[in-house]
Amino acid sequence: MNKILQFMKRNYKILLVIIALAIGLWSFIPKEKSSDPEKDKMLIELLTFVIEKGHYNPAKIDDTFSKGIYKDYINALDPSKRFFLQSDIDEFAKYETQIDDQIINKELTFFDLTYSRLMKRMEESKGYYKIALDKPFDYKKTESINTDYEKLPFAVNTQELKERWRLQVKLSTLSSLVEKQKLEEDLVKDKSKTLDEKLKTYRESMGDKITPELEKKFIADTEKKKNQAPKSYEQLEKETRESTLTSLNDNFNFIKDLDREDWFSIYVNAIASRFDPHTSYFGASEKEKFDVSMSGKFDGIGARLQKKNDFTEITELISGGPAWRGKQLEAGDTVLKVAQADAEPVDVVGMRLDDVVKKIKGPRGTEVRLTVKKQDGTIKVISIVRDQVEVEETYVKSSVVEKDGFKYGIIYLPKFYIDFEDQNSRDAGKDVAIEVERLKKEGVQGIVMDVRDNGGGSLKTVVDIAGLFISQGPIVQIKSAAGKKEVLFDRDAKVQWDGPLVVMINEFSASASEILAAAIQDYKRGVVIGSKQSYGKGTVQNVIDLNQFVRGSTYGDLGALKTTTQKFYRINGGSTQLEGVKSDVAIPDRYSYLKMGEKDIENAMPWDKIDAADYKIWDKQNNFDLAIQKSKERMSNNAQLNLIDDNAKWLDQRNKETVYSLNIDKFKAEQKALDEKNKKYKPILDYKNAFDFNSLPYEVEETNKDSVLKEKRDRWHESLSKDIYIEEAIHILNDLQTENTKGLTTKVKKDKLVKS
């Protein structure tokens, strides 16, 4: 068993399941090289077998299961109902209760039918939007469009489908036209202002970011605009159609890059996700992306690419990577050819983006030569030696802030990352421990652990991180399909941080984030603040390399399966499934009323509970309950949070409004009403708290050498300075300080004031 991604070192039970599966799957040995359809049949058989044997609670493959696949798959192929006709759906519908039989019998009739029909309809659709954009729209005509695609029926005939495309394209161009007209009006108004007035406004908007170079550029741009004649309605209208055509062509070029295997992955995932929302199939390239997201690193040159028509463009150089260090490749360069070391260059113009990426990536220490077209039009061959690239955004980072003479630390963890292939590599547990030590060295008196938007990751790392804040004891309980329970402990008696602690969550904090927040909450070790509840994912997944089950395969990489094998529970016995973790201090946010949690997914696994583990509540924080009470009082009287809550209710209401007028006068009136309403909520975006956030000394040295990293940290600190939730976390840390410490600190401050 060479490539099973274990979620913890001691998970021998899962290993036994996998070994049993491998023995049972010896029948999956191809006798000879087969066509792709044969590979697809084997893949479905392999997937369903592994899921049925290894899933925590596998669904029965019957007609009900078949109906669920049918609905999800058709919706995935044509969510806006702009490709298929009702006659296509009528033809597909006879398979609605037969997909389960086709899975069992290894038939691909339904997939083959839908795939070939989709390719045909997509090719036809190119003509529909091109015809619609060929001549000016009549924006004075009274008509509207309903964008509630879920309730929208499929088009009865081609004419109705063309009309649907026309309305959709008209909405896009109308929105763009109105925006362009507004910019032109602003340009005319701006011309009445003096250069000094414009420069003053610009300086105020830029704040600390202003530089002599930026001022010089602003003045030059302003002088250039001064001589520009306003564009006519006809010019603007034509521009909107041209830009919309370019955008749609780009979208269809992206679709053109997808091959049959990509579409088959969609079908396979429609099957896998019916077992539960977190069971899914990864094709070979998707598996690689998953590994990168989990470890935060890969071997390559360290550049992000995107497709523009037939060309591949460099969009960003990853800080610290070999391309960044080489200082020859730049964002905006177009890649024309790729060569491996001394081999002949391969022309990559018109090639799929994934295929270009595969040619550029490679083992560390190897050379790749890129023939690129620079932005000035020159052609240059750039040699780069590949190396390990770390994606900085994946990793933990910290900042310091002061309030009332106290210094506090903010630790932001975007993911519970780990490299399953290299146990000596960096992981979230090790890195958070390092950040805690760095903050202690700076003399902080409280720490905020920010796991907002953290979708989870390694179970091992969350146990390690929770263990930094308690003496020793259980962190999480896990139950397998057989009903056996295991408790994961922090067995180290050392407490790396025993001071005041706040954990921040939101609706997008899931899985491992919820384990951390739940453990801290159950121990009463720290205050959990944020959304009313976290996401609500209480299940454990294993990623299983499917290639290990097939000997002597000539099919190529079969990818991997992520399947739910266990459920985890809080140490108090309750599950986080569906219910998530409820904040000690619930703070309104913009998404409070929108349905986006696990509880809102149709086939999510149910909530349940087991017996509590044996644990002792933390008793070293005397004013814990008082700090929560004070925070709630602040929240109830906070005008900014009341405004955010009002905005959240309005967003929920707006989300339900799906009809838009395509008459320009009515559309403008609707937009003006929305703009007026939005003015009420402008203070939400303009909000600034009273704190300054700074990097730790070691990072200041790094940012002085790395302008890209400096810009990223400056953006992060700026976002923290506009964050009312971070502000409240700091207030809570302040309230968690003991009265004796507060008095001593105040006295020291007064003494310093007298001496100065």
Side-chain angles (χ1 to χ4, degrees):
M1 312 314 306
N2 57 343
K3 287 189 178 180
I4 301 173
L5 302 183
Q6 299 170 306
F7 52 82
M8 58 183 175
K9 288 180 180 177
R10 296 172 288 105
N11 203 338
Y12 63 91
K13 296 183 181 72
I14 295 300
L15 282 175
L16 293 176
V17 171
I18 301 304
I19 290 168
L21 288 177
I23 294 170
L25 287 168
W26 276 4
S27 61
F28 295 109
I29 303 173
K31 303 296 186 292
E32 57 186 42
K33 184 175 178 64
S34 302
S35 63
D36 280 344
E38 291 304 311
K39 172 188 173 182
D40 295 340
K41 291 175 184 179
M42 191 194 73
L43 181 59
I44 288 181
E45 185 180 12
L46 181 61
L47 279 169
T48 52
F49 185 88
V50 172
I51 293 173
E52 285 188 305
K53 298 298 181 184
H55 193 277
Y56 180 83
N57 184 27
K60 186 179 179 182
I61 300 180
D62 56 13
D63 286 356
T64 301
F65 186 82
S66 180
K67 288 179 180 178
I69 295 171
Y70 177 84
K71 184 187 74 171
D72 292 350
Y73 176 57
I74 296 299
N75 186 58
L77 294 184
D78 191 8
S80 58
K81 297 178 180 173
R82 273 185 280 165
F83 296 118
F84 290 134
L85 295 169
Q86 184 59 50
S87 58
D88 298 326
I89 300 303
D90 293 340
E91 191 174 350
F92 301 158
K94 66 183 179 184
Y95 295 98
E96 188 175 13
T97 59
Q98 294 180 23
I99 299 173
D100 56 321
D101 302 309
Q102 293 204 356
I103 291 171
I104 293 167
N105 297 324
K106 293 184 286 186
E107 293 180 23
L108 300 175
T109 312
F110 176 63
F111 169 74
D112 288 336
L113 173 63
T114 52
Y115 170 69
S116 60
R117 190 64 50 83
L118 181 65
M119 295 302 101
K120 181 175 184 288
R121 296 300 183 218
M122 281 185 168
E123 191 61 35
E124 292 169 350
S125 296
K126 292 180 186 178
Y128 302 158
Y129 72 76
K130 288 176 181 177
I131 291 170
L133 290 166
D134 192 46
K135 57 185 179 182
F137 287 103
D138 179 4
Y139 292 117
K140 291 296 182 179
K141 186 178 179 181
T142 300
E143 57 185 356
S144 62
I145 182 173
N146 190 336
T147 58
D148 186 356
Y149 302 119
E150 191 175 340
K151 295 179 181 176
L152 191 71
F154 283 92
V156 174
N157 51 44
T158 302
Q159 195 57 41
E160 190 176 319
L161 196 58
K162 287 180 180 178
E163 177 65 5
R164 190 166 292 182
W165 272 97
R166 185 188 71 81
L167 293 175
Q168 186 65 50
V169 170
K170 186 177 181 181
L171 174 63
S172 178
T173 55
L174 175 58
S175 176
S176 179
L177 175 61
V178 170
E179 184 63 30
K180 283 178 179 288
Q181 285 183 320
K182 189 174 183 301
L183 289 173
E184 287 296 317
E185 290 168 6
D186 291 342
L187 187 64
V188 171
K189 290 177 185 176
D190 200 47
K191 285 185 177 181
S192 64
K193 296 178 183 177
T194 66
L195 180 60
D196 287 342
E197 287 174 326
K198 294 174 187 176
L199 196 54
K200 181 183 177 183
T201 303
Y202 179 68
R203 285 170 178 159
E204 289 173 352
S205 67
M206 291 295 289
D208 296 337
K209 293 181 180 179
I210 194 72
T211 64
E213 291 77 16
L214 288 174
E215 275 197 15
K216 187 176 179 181
K217 184 177 184 304
F218 175 79
I219 292 170
D221 289 344
T222 302
E223 287 299 317
K224 185 178 178 182
K225 289 177 183 177
K226 183 179 177 182
N227 300 319
Q228 284 181 355
K231 292 181 180 179
S232 66
Y233 170 86
E234 288 73 21
Q235 285 176 298
L236 296 177
E237 194 279 332
K238 186 181 179 183
E239 280 182 11
T240 60
R241 284 186 290 116
E242 289 174 346
S243 62
T244 301
L245 179 62
T246 300
S247 178
L248 284 167
N249 283 338
D250 287 345
N251 286 337
F252 272 84
N253 284 335
F254 170 78
I255 292 172
K256 186 180 70 176
D257 270 357
L258 301 176
D259 56 25
R260 186 183 187 280
E261 188 175 337
D262 295 315
W263 293 104
F264 189 68
S265 289
I266 295 173
Y267 179 58
V268 171
N269 269 303
I271 296 171
S273 63
R274 290 314 299 178
F275 288 91
D276 81 284
H278 306 291
T279 292
S280 59
Y281 168 69
F282 295 138
S285 60
E286 291 303 312
K287 172 62 169 56
E288 185 180 353
K289 291 173 186 175
F290 175 80
D291 289 342
V292 171
S293 74
M294 283 299 295
S295 67
K297 61 190 181 186
F298 61 93
D299 287 353
I301 68 169
R304 291 193 171 99
L305 314 175
Q306 73 174 17
K307 195 79 179 287
K308 281 196 172 180
N309 296 320
D310 283 337
F311 297 96
T312 301
E313 185 180 286
I314 306 291
T315 58
E316 182 187 351
L317 300 183
I318 297 175
S319 182
W324 175 85
R325 294 196 302 266
K327 298 182 179 179
Q328 294 189 74
L329 197 65
E330 299 173 294
D333 288 352
T334 300
V335 182
L336 304 177
K337 297 179 182 180
V338 179
Q340 310 302 322
D342 296 329
E344 282 296 313
V346 176
D347 193 334
V348 297
V349 176
M351 189 178 287
R352 281 168 32 113
L353 181 61
D354 281 352
D355 293 332
V356 178
V357 170
K358 286 176 185 175
K359 291 186 180 302
I360 294 176
K361 274 187 177 181
R364 70 191 79 170
T366 58
E367 181 193 12
V368 63
R369 289 181 295 118
L370 305 182
T371 303
V372 301
K373 182 178 180 181
K374 308 296 283 186
Q375 292 187 71
D376 62 5
T378 59
I379 306 296
K380 189 173 183 181
V381 177
I382 299 173
S383 173
I384 303 171
V385 176
R386 300 176 178 106
D387 199 355
Q388 186 175 87
V389 179
E390 292 188 342
V391 183
E392 187 271 331
E393 292 88 344
T394 301
Y395 298 125
V396 65
K397 57 189 175 187
S398 62
S399 177
V400 289
V401 62
E402 292 189 21
K403 174 178 169 58
D404 297 340
F406 293 93
K407 186 181 283 187
Y408 299 120
I410 314 293
I411 298 177
Y412 174 59
L413 183 65
K415 183 182 283 288
F416 290 84
Y417 49 88
I418 194 170
D419 185 344
F420 291 104
E421 302 294 332
D422 182 3
Q423 294 301 317
N424 296 317
S425 179
R426 69 186 296 184
D427 65 46
K430 297 173 190 173
D431 288 355
V432 171
I434 291 170
E435 292 304 316
V436 170
E437 282 304 309
R438 286 169 171 164
L439 291 171
K440 284 167 66 177
K441 187 178 178 181
E442 289 302 301
V444 301
Q445 290 150 297
I447 289 178
V448 176
M449 270 299 303
D450 185 356
V451 290
R452 290 177 295 176
D453 302 320
N454 183 324
S458 162
L459 198 56
K460 176 190 177 298
T461 60
V462 72
V463 173
D464 292 342
I465 292 170
L468 301 175
F469 306 111
I470 66 166
S471 175
Q472 58 185 354
I475 303 299
V476 63
Q477 304 187 89
I478 298 178
K479 193 175 80 169
S480 65
K484 292 183 179 180
K485 185 180 82 170
E486 182 179 5
V487 182
L488 302 189
F489 287 87
D490 166 45
R491 299 187 184 278
D492 185 356
K494 177 187 175 184
V495 183
Q496 191 164 7
W497 176 255
D498 63 359
L501 177 68
V502 170
V503 176
M504 300 186 69
I505 62 172
N506 63 8
E507 297 97 333
F508 304 108
S509 301
S511 194
S513 299
E514 296 174 287
I515 294 173
L516 176 64
I520 296 301
Q521 189 176 64
D522 289 346
Y523 275 107
K524 292 193 77 171
R525 174 60 188 88
V527 178
V528 177
I529 75 167
S531 305
K532 185 178 179 181
Q533 73 161 70
S534 56
Y535 185 81
K537 178 182 177 290
T539 55
V540 181
Q541 284 73 42
N542 256 46
V543 179
I544 303 167
D545 185 349
L546 295 174
N547 296 291
Q548 63 191 301
F549 298 121
V550 183
R551 295 188 301 176
S553 171
T554 56
Y555 293 132
D557 197 328
L558 292 169
L561 174 71
K562 177 163 69 76
T563 188
T564 299
T565 54
Q566 296 172 312
K567 289 181 76 173
F568 61 74
Y569 298 81
R570 302 171 67 132
I571 55 176
N572 70 9
S575 173
T576 59
Q577 179 65 13
L578 305 185
E579 292 193 359
V581 176
K582 293 178 170 57
S583 296
D584 295 318
V585 180
I587 307 177
D589 63 46
R590 297 187 72 200
Y591 309 107
S592 296
Y593 302 97
L594 299 178
K595 293 181 178 180
M596 52 181 57
E598 183 94 353
K599 65 182 183 300
D600 303 308
I601 302 175
E602 179 187 345
N603 57 328
M605 295 180 73
W607 178 91
D608 62 343
K609 64 182 298 186
I610 60 175
D611 294 336
D614 185 17
Y615 66 99
K616 184 181 178 182
I617 289 176
W618 183 268
D619 58 2
K620 298 177 184 177
Q621 189 68 64
N622 297 326
N623 47 351
F624 183 86
D625 293 330
L626 180 62
I628 291 175
Q629 180 186 331
K630 284 184 175 181
S631 180
K632 287 180 177 178
E633 288 172 359
R634 277 192 298 271
M635 297 301 93
S636 63
N637 298 318
N638 189 301
Q640 182 76 0
L641 289 174
N642 290 336
L643 185 63
I644 289 172
D645 189 53
D646 186 60
N647 183 225
K649 291 175 181 174
W650 181 67
L651 285 174
D652 182 42
Q653 176 190 330
R654 284 289 308 153
N655 193 49
K656 295 169 184 173
E657 294 175 10
T658 58
V659 178
Y660 297 89
S661 174
L662 297 178
N663 174 280
I664 192 167
D665 296 324
K666 289 183 179 179
F667 187 85
K668 282 183 176 179
E670 290 169 358
Q671 293 303 305
K672 185 177 180 181
L674 289 175
D675 289 342
E676 288 300 315
K677 185 71 174 179
N678 273 317
K679 286 179 183 177
K680 177 183 177 181
Y681 303 118
K682 194 173 183 294
I684 295 174
L685 300 175
D686 295 339
Y687 185 79
K688 197 169 185 342
N689 58 46
F691 302 116
D692 290 320
F693 298 86
N694 298 288
S695 291
L696 296 173
Y698 86 93
E699 194 171 70
V700 172
E701 291 182 19
E702 291 182 5
T703 55
N704 286 338
K705 302 172 188 174
D706 185 345
S707 60
V708 176
L709 181 62
K710 185 178 188 308
E711 184 182 348
K712 288 178 180 178
R713 287 299 178 267
D714 287 345
R715 285 203 302 262
W716 182 45
H717 291 151
E718 183 182 6
S719 69
L720 290 176
S721 71
K722 294 173 174 287
D723 193 331
I724 191 170
Y725 309 102
I726 282 285
E727 179 181 32
E728 182 54 27
I730 294 167
H731 286 316
I732 293 173
L733 286 179
N734 220 47
D735 292 336
L736 288 171
Q737 303 298 323
T738 64
E739 292 302 319
N740 289 339
T741 306
K742 283 186 177 180
L744 179 63
T745 305
T746 304
K747 183 177 184 302
V748 169
K749 286 178 71 179
K750 286 182 178 178
D751 288 345
K752 286 183 178 178
L753 185 62
V754 171
K755 288 177 183 177
S756 63

